[in-house]
Amino acid sequence: MTRDAAAIRALIERDRVHRDIYIDPEIFDLEIERIFGRAWIWVGHESQVKNPGDYIATAIGRQPVVMSRHTDGRVHVLYNRCGHRGAKVVGDREGNVKFFQCCYHGWTYRTDGTLKGVPMQRGYEGTGFDIKDPRYGMMKLPRVESYRGFVFASLAETGPSLADYLGDARSSIDDMVDRSPEGALEVVGGCFRIVFRANWKVFLENLNDTMHPMVVHESSVDAGKMWAGEHLPQGAPDPLPVRFTRNNGFPYDFWEKLTLKAHANGHSFMGGIFPPRRTDPVYMEYMAAMEQAYGKERAEQILAVDRHNTIFYPNISIQSGYQQLRHIRPLAVDRTQMDVYAFRLKGAPDEFYKHTLIYSNMVNAPSSIVMPDDHEAYNRVQEGLAAQASPWVSLHRDAGRERRDHEWTSANGTSELPMRNQYQAWLGYMTAEA
Ligand code: FES
Ligand SMILES: [Fe+2]
C-alpha cells in the first residue's frame, strides 16, 4: 500500500497516533527517506577527530558516512563509498590514517575525500575518466555544520540552517559546554552500543516521559533503598550512585512540578532530577575552577541551569548536567541501535569526571540496573502493538493545556506534550514536498 500525504496525515491526530507508525515497514522506509534524508542529523563531536587524519565511521539512516579531520584542520563528513565500483572504503569504526585506501582495488583518498591515487592510471588515458572529478572521490554530504563542537549533517541540498533548526534548543548544548571551565568538551573513550527490539520513536517518547520512572524503575529504586538501609547511617545523604537509582522513585507531585518545554522542530527538554550536592568536596573543587574561569556571578549563572534530558529530534538526546549523549540509528521498523557517549569537561578536576562515569555506569550502561528497565518497556510496546486491538496509541495527558511563548511551548511536568510535539514534527517531515 502506498500512502499519500492525506493518508499519512490521518495517522497523527492532536492527541493520539496510529499504531502503523511503529510497525509498518513501509512507513519506516518513508521515515528513512523523509526524516533521516532531510533533517539535520547529529554525526559526531569534533573531539572524536582531534588530530589530522582522525576519523569515525557512522551512518545517517541507511547511508554509510565518515567524519574525518583533514590536514588543514577542517572536519568533513563524507559518504563511505568508493568512487570506483562502490565498496565501503572505511571498515573500522575509528582510527587515524594518512589517507583512506579502498580494500578492493586500492584507490586512495585524502581525508577531505578527494581522490589521491588510482593504480595503473594509464589504463584510464583516453577514457572519460577524470581523476579530479569529485564524483570519483569520496563525495561530501550536501550540508555539514557544527555548533560548539557538535557536528550535524544533512543529506538534503536545501533546508533550514542548523541554527534555525536547533533554534533556542541550542541553549541545552550551551548548558553542556558552558559547564567546562575552558568552554570545551571532549569524548573520552568509545561508547556503549546497544541494539533494542523496538521502533526508534519509542525511545524518543520515553526521554521526557515523567509518568514512567516510579513504575518502570521500581526494582532499581528498591535496590537503591535497600542498599542505603543496609550501608548508611540513618539520615545520611545518599552517595551519587544511589541517588541515580532512588530519585526515580520520587512521588508524582515531584514530577508534576518539573518544567517541560517543547520546541517547534520536535526538540524538547525537562527540568533536572539530580541537582548536584553543593557540599560535596569534589563539586566544591569544580565550582572553584568554574569561578576562577568565569568569575563568581557568571559561574553561578551557568551552574543554576538544571535540565534533565534534552531531545534533538530525531536522533540524539543529551543530559547536559552529567555530560551524556545518546545517539540512535533506526535499523528496521522494530530494531534501533543506540550509542551512549560520556564527555569530559575540559579544565574540570579529574575527580569530577568520575561523576559523569558514575552516571554512565548507573543509568546509561547496558549492564546498569536502570536502563534495562526502559528497554524492557520498549520491547513490550513493540510486542503489544502487534495486537489487532485498538489501532490508536494515546497521548492525551494534559492535551490542550500547554502554554505558548516565543519559541517554546511549556507544560506541567507530567504532560504528554513532548510526544505530541514530536509527532507534529514527524508530520511536517513526512508530508513536506520533496
Ligand atoms: S571498488 Fe574501491 S577501488 Fe575498486
Ligand atoms: Fe526510564
Side-chain angles (χ1 to χ4, degrees), residues 81-89 101-109 119:
R81 188 256 194 224
C82 179
H84 180 214
R85 299 238 293 273
K88 190 162 101 171
V89 177
Q101 180 168 34
C102 181
C103 72
Y104 202 178
H105 311 96
W107 285 26
T108 52
Y109 300 89

Side-chain angles (χ1 to χ4, degrees), residues 266-280:
H267 318 314
S268 60
F269 73 83
M270 61 185 269
I273 58 175
F274 306 119
R277 192 161 277 138
R278 285 174 168 243
T279 49
D280 175 312

Side-chain angles (χ1 to χ4, degrees), residues 90-140:
V90 178
D92 294 335
R93 267 161 72 173
E94 58 182 33
N96 180 279
V97 287
K98 291 230 174 320
F99 52 82
F100 297 120
Q101 180 168 34
C102 181
C103 72
Y104 202 178
H105 311 96
W107 285 26
T108 52
Y109 300 89
R110 298 176 191 91
T111 42
D112 63 355
T114 53
L115 182 55
K116 179 173 180 287
V118 171
M120 294 285 285
Q121 206 178 321
R122 66 173 179 269
Y124 289 100
E125 280 165 18
T127 72
F129 177 75
D130 175 5
I131 197 167
K132 293 209 173 63
D133 184 335
R135 285 172 301 179
Y136 302 118
M138 288 175 71
M139 290 176 67
K140 293 181 172 52

